[in-house]
Structure formats: structure tokens, C-alpha cells
Amino acid sequence: MLEVRDISAAYGPVQVLRGVSFSLGAGEIMCLLGRNGAGKTTVMKCIMGLLPLSAGQITLGGIALDRLAAHEISRHGVGYVPQGRRLFSELTVAQNLEVGRLARRSGPEVLDHVLGIFPRLAERLDQRAETLSGGEQQMLAMARALCLEPRLLLLDEPTEGLQPSMIEAIRHVVLDVQAAGVAVLLVEQRVDAVLSVASRVTFVENGQSREAMDIEALRADRSALVRYLGVQ
Amino acid sequence: MEFGPYLMLASLEGAVTTAVLSLTAVGLSLVFGVMRVVNVAHGEFFMLGAVLAWWIASAIGGMGGNPALGFVIALVLAPLVVGSIAAVADLTILSRIDYDPERTIVATIGLLYIMQQVTLMTYGPDARPVEAPFNARIALPWVEFADGRPQIYWPWGFGTTTYKLGVIVAAAIVLLGVWFVMARTRIGLIMRATQLDRDMALAFGIPVGRVYAFVFGLGAGLAALAAVLVVPIQQAHYLMGGDPLLLSFIVVIIGGLGSLPGTVLAALLIGMSDGIISVFFSPTLAKIIATLLVALVLVFRPQGLFGTRATR
């Protein structure tokens, strides 16, 4: 469904991506793994059109995302949960979710469905996003992305700074989303979290994609984790 | 006239200044808040509104139409025309330079001179009045205690005009409208989301380029509307944009860049003090004090009284 072919991108004069390729099927969870600064978040920004490509192509179900304006990409069903959540901090929970529904003009039933997944948000609809706890903010970031009924969900460090119970709750939500047929592209530093949800991983190093492997293969032979991340 | 009625008169003048300044400064604040653009040409959009009002009112009057009708048409048409010019300027100039902070300042200075000189070449150097649609004089009473009981009397020259009161009411209605749009409508939500995080707005399908063009047009339109309201009191002139620009910047900095409630409160503070100090001392002293206030705010509270720091 998602095809990323040999993409390169730069922040001004600094070349960050130098050829990243991978593909992702419907209902699949794939994780980009790599050290800090390897270019994982930049790949997400390129998919969302927030950073232009200097080479390569990104297609989603045959649609060339790299030729669309940034604001048109979410209309094709790409939901984004960025690193650090980046909520509309001064807007209420309800208003953040309303923004999430704008792209695809999702109906009120979508909001009900999403609030069913995150009942804690339903109790805080009139609360400003910046006043929520870290875990609630992460829930809101995911709920906002789910409000546009995505077929591809980009999750950038969703467990960053969260307590174990919240990480577990988010793991369940990700698996439920996958079960509904949504493709999930995950960037995550916590190897245990990756191993418990992902079906495949692609290692990224110095702005280039290296090895891609199934999660079972990685569980059986963790040497790639040592090679690319320096962890067991 | 004694001090009390004199102060009351000065306050009424201050209220008119506040009304016009609020509209102008809210336009500037919207543009900075949502787009992070320091629009140096804002005063020229004000001037253009006044000049267009004169043109429209003269054209209607020349055709034998009622001057009040000419004013009403100008009140609707001038902000729309000025807003459209601003939106086109945004799409053709500011978006091309990617809203880079330094380059937008230079670009809007360029716009300032283009609008000023084109107006000079077409409208000329004269100051020209627009007839107010209604302008009845209202004498105001004053109460004083004499012989142990209150006595009402009518000091000579103590009063205002229905038009000035109309300006205050019209500005209040428009400001309420702006608040309603920002706080209660979908377009307001879109503008606020864009203001808070441009990239996330894009990621959630908001066409930020179009929002910017709309906001730039809206800001200029509000300045033009303020100018149409004030032109029966001040006259239209090609150099009249300087003072509104300076005062709007003062108000927006004191209120907090991008904060609409802060802008209105700062406009109240600056407008009232400008009116009162101008009447009792001199307009120059009023500007000196306002500028000093800005310096104090910049030193002790750089984000302004109600300002917040937004992510971009």
C-alpha cells in the first residue's frame, strides 16, 4: 500500500536522507529502527509532505504523495501522530478532535467511535489540551489522527515519556487499529515495545535504509539490534 | 468649562480613538498572530480604505445619490476591495518569499510605498472629507453639588455627535463579530489551529496558504473598515496611514502579539490616554507616553500583557 522508494531529503544544506526505501501493506505494523539522528522522523515528515524530497518517490495505493500539496495528503487517509504530540495546545480536547475531522469531513459517528476507544478524553472534552497529563496528551494525539479515519497511521515515538500502564494502553490501541486493517508505520526507541507489536522492522542508519527483517527473525537473532542500535 | 465636564469630553474623544484603534490593531494582531508577519503596510491599507470611501461616496453623490447611501456602500465595499488587494498581495508576494520574517518586512515596506505613491498619483495630495450619514449634535448635562443638593446644568460646548457615538457602537459590534468568528466558528478554529502550529495544521488538511491569504485580507479589511468609520471625522489623505500604523504596533506590542483580548484592552488603554492627554496637554505628549509604555513592556514583559508564545 505504502511504497517509499529511494527517497532523499535535506534541511537546507544538511542532507539528512540519502536513499530510504521500504514498503508497507494494509493491516501491517512496520517499525523504523535506528539511532538518534538516523533520519526516522525525517522519513515521517517526508511522507506527510512537511519536508520536500530531493529525490525518490512516495506512493500510497498508487497515488504519488510526493506530488501533492502537504494539506492534501491527510485527505488520502494518512494520520500523523508526531514526536512530542504537537497538539493544538490552547484548543480544547473537543476542538483538537474537530481539527482531526476536518481533512476528510468525518461524521459525528467517527468522533463517537474514537471517544469509545479513549473514554478518558470523553470526560475532558472542554479541557484545554495543554492542561492534560502526558499520557492523556498522547491519547489525544492518537485520537486526533484516528478522527480522520486513516488507512495509514504514522506514529513517531508514541511511548516517549509515558508510564508503563499508559504504554500498555497505547499498545492495545495500536493492535486494535491494525486489526481494523490500518497500516501502521512506527518509529520507536523502546525495543521491547517494537517487538510486541510490529510485524516487520527496517533499520535506518545515517539517512539510509539498511536491513529489513520480519519480527520473528529479529526475535530469533538479535544481532541486528547490536549492529544498528548498540543494544541487545 | 470646569475640570469634570472637560475630562468627560476628553474621555469621549478617547473612546472614539479607542474604537477606531481597536479595529485597526485587531487586524494587525490577527495577521501577526496567525501568519507571524509584521505587516508594515497595515497603515496604508487603512489609508486606502479612507480614500476608497471618499471615491465611492463622491461617485454616489455625483450621481445625485444620498450621501448617507454613499457612505453605507463605502462601508461595505471599501473593506472588501482593500481585503481583496491584500489577499492578492499575499498570494503573489508574501507566499513567494515563504513568509520569511526579514523578507516580509522588506516586502511590506515596498507595498507601503507602492500604495502611497499610487494614491498620490491618482487621488492627489489633498485631504478630502466624507459626509457623515448622520451627525446630530447631542448636548450633555452635568451634575454638580451646590447648596447641599445635586443640580443639573448644561455647560456651554459640552456634548458630542451622534456620529461619534455611532462609530463607538459600530466598532464594538464588529469586534464582537470578530470574537464570535474566532471563538465559535469553523473558520475561526482553522485560523487558531494554523496560528498554534502551522505544520500540524497542514498535516490535518488545512490549506495554510489559503488561510494566510484570507487572514491577510481580513486584517487589511478591518483596517479599511476603521478608516471608513473615521473618515467623516478626520478626512482622507494619502499620508494618513502613519499614525494608525504606529499606534497599532504600540497596541499590539502592549496587548501581546497575536492576543485579540489583549489587543482590545491595550487599545482601550492607549486610545483613552491618547484622547485625554491630547485634550489636556498635546497629541505629541500622548504619543511620547505611549511609546515609553511600549519600551517598558518590551523590557519587563516582552510577550506583552496577554501574549503567548506559539509553535511554528
Side-chain angles (χ1 to χ4, degrees):
Chain A
M1 185 170 75
L2 176 71
E3 290 281 344
V4 175
R5 280 186 225 126
D6 206 21
I7 61 169
S8 298
Y11 292 107
V14 182
Q15 192 73 30
V16 180
L17 300 184
R18 300 175 184 83
V20 172
S21 299
F22 60 85
S23 61
L24 180 61
E28 190 180 14
I29 300 177
M30 199 195 75
C31 182
L32 295 178
L33 275 176
R35 293 176 196 269
N36 283 338
K40 308 178 297 290
T41 293
T42 305
V43 171
M44 297 253 181
K45 285 185 179 174
C46 289
I47 295 170
M48 291 309 301
L50 300 176
L51 186 67
L53 301 183
S54 49
Q57 285 134 21
I58 301 172
T59 58
L60 179 71
I63 299 161
L65 294 186
D66 53 282
R67 291 188 191 164
L68 298 176
H71 73 270
E72 292 172 323
I73 289 173
S74 59
R75 293 176 191 170
H76 290 277
V78 185
Y80 184 33
V81 180
Q83 187 175 22
R85 294 134 198 166
R86 293 187 59 179
L87 298 169
F88 300 111
S89 56
E90 292 175 23
L91 301 185
T92 64
V93 170
Q95 288 168 332
N96 269 276
L97 298 176
E98 176 73 18
V99 173
R101 289 168 57 203
L102 285 175
R104 304 186 86 185
R105 295 185 170 84
S106 313
E109 70 284 352
V110 175
L111 182 61
D112 292 340
H113 173 68
V114 169
L115 290 175
I117 299 172
F118 300 104
R120 206 186 291 190
L121 294 179
E123 299 161 11
R124 290 163 169 72
L125 284 175
D126 295 326
Q127 203 170 317
R128 277 159 70 118
E130 64 191 353
T131 65
L132 298 175
S133 69
E136 289 165 347
Q137 288 191 7
Q138 189 60 49
M139 285 181 187
L140 179 55
M142 292 186 71
R144 182 179 62 176
L146 292 177
C147 270
L148 58 76
E149 299 178 281
R151 51 182 175 146
L152 168 65
L153 184 61
L154 310 182
L155 297 175
D156 195 351
E157 305 277 7
T159 66
E160 189 180 37
L162 299 185
Q163 60 189 35
S165 62
M166 194 57 71
I167 292 172
E168 187 57 20
I170 283 172
R171 192 177 78 86
H172 281 294
V173 171
V174 172
L175 290 172
D176 287 347
V177 167
Q178 177 202 23
V182 176
V184 179
L185 179 62
L186 179 66
V187 165
E188 180 58 70
Q189 294 285 356
R190 300 172 60 91
V191 174
D192 55 335
V194 174
L195 292 174
S196 68
V197 294
S199 29
R200 275 192 305 133
V201 297
T202 295
F203 289 97
V204 181
E205 188 179 53
N206 295 326
Q208 291 178 302
S209 49
R210 303 289 191 190
E211 266 178 87
M213 56 202 304
D214 287 337
I215 207 72
E216 287 78 16
L218 183 62
R219 283 198 192 107
D221 175 12
R222 295 169 70 109
S223 61
L225 294 174
V226 180
R227 257 195 322 280
Y228 296 110
L229 303 177
V231 298
Q232 279 289 347
Chain B
M1 204 188 306
E2 292 170 30
F3 178 76
Y6 211 43
L7 180 65
M8 179 75 179
L9 263 188
S11 302
L12 277 170
E13 290 303 312
V16 175
T17 306
T18 299
V20 175
L21 186 55
S22 299
L23 287 178
T24 316
V26 160
L28 188 70
S29 182
L30 264 178
V31 168
F32 182 82
V34 176
M35 304 169 66
R36 293 285 179 257
V37 164
V38 177
N39 180 16
V40 184
H42 196 65
E44 301 319 302
F45 288 126
F46 179 94
M47 175 275 290
L48 218 49
V51 168
L52 277 174
W54 179 84
W55 255 322
I56 293 166
S58 302
I60 303 288
M63 289 187 291
N66 187 333
L69 178 69
F71 181 85
V72 170
I73 292 175
L75 199 59
V76 175
L77 215 54
L80 285 178
V81 172
V82 173
S84 304
I85 291 170
V88 170
D90 172 79
L91 291 170
T92 53
I93 301 169
L94 301 185
S95 70
R96 298 278 175 97
I97 55 176
D98 202 24
Y99 304 98
D100 174 75
E102 288 84 16
R103 288 191 290 169
T104 50
I105 290 175
V106 176
T108 52
I109 290 173
L111 273 175
L112 180 159
Y113 283 119
I114 290 168
M115 286 191 280
Q116 206 175 74
Q117 293 307 308
V118 169
T119 306
L120 176 63
M121 287 189 287
T122 52
Y123 173 82
D126 301 330
R128 293 164 180 164
V130 170
E131 195 174 328
F134 52 89
N135 206 15
R137 179 148 191 87
I138 304 171
L140 296 173
W142 188 253
V143 180
E144 267 199 356
F145 284 88
D147 304 328
R149 59 193 172 89
Q151 290 186 338
I152 295 175
Y153 74 108
W154 302 82
W156 186 84
F158 183 46
T160 186
T161 65
T162 50
Y163 183 73
K164 285 184 178 176
L165 295 180
V167 168
I168 296 168
V169 171
I173 291 169
V174 174
L175 288 171
L176 276 174
V178 171
W179 170 82
F180 181 81
V181 167
M182 292 303 287
R184 294 277 184 270
T185 66
R186 179 169 287 191
I187 181 69
L189 180 66
I190 287 171
M191 285 194 278
R192 288 159 70 202
T194 305
Q195 172 174 359
L196 290 166
D197 195 326
R198 177 183 181 272
D199 279 355
M200 282 305 103
L202 280 171
F204 283 91
I206 294 175
V208 167
R210 269 180 265 165
V211 173
Y212 280 3
F214 175 77
V215 169
F216 203 65
L218 180 63
L222 283 170
L225 180 64
V228 179
L229 286 174
V230 86
V231 81
I233 302 169
Q234 274 190 4
Q235 302 197 1
H237 184 253
Y238 84 106
L239 288 176
M240 73 187 296
D243 269 4
L245 178 69
L246 173 68
L247 284 174
S248 294
F249 269 119
I250 287 172
V251 160
V252 168
I253 291 169
I254 290 175
L257 292 165
S259 162
L260 295 187
T263 300
V264 174
L265 283 175
L268 187 68
L269 177 73
I270 295 298
M272 292 305 285
S273 61
D274 189 83
I276 292 169
I277 295 168
S278 296
V279 167
F280 281 101
F281 301 98
S282 78
T284 308
L285 181 65
K287 303 277 184 306
I288 290 171
I289 291 175
T291 314
L292 188 67
L293 200 57
V294 167
L296 290 173
V297 166
L298 286 175
V299 170
F300 294 108
R301 198 174 159 82
Q303 74 272 33
L305 300 180
F306 297 86
T308 52
R309 293 187 176 93
T311 319
R312 176 152 188 183

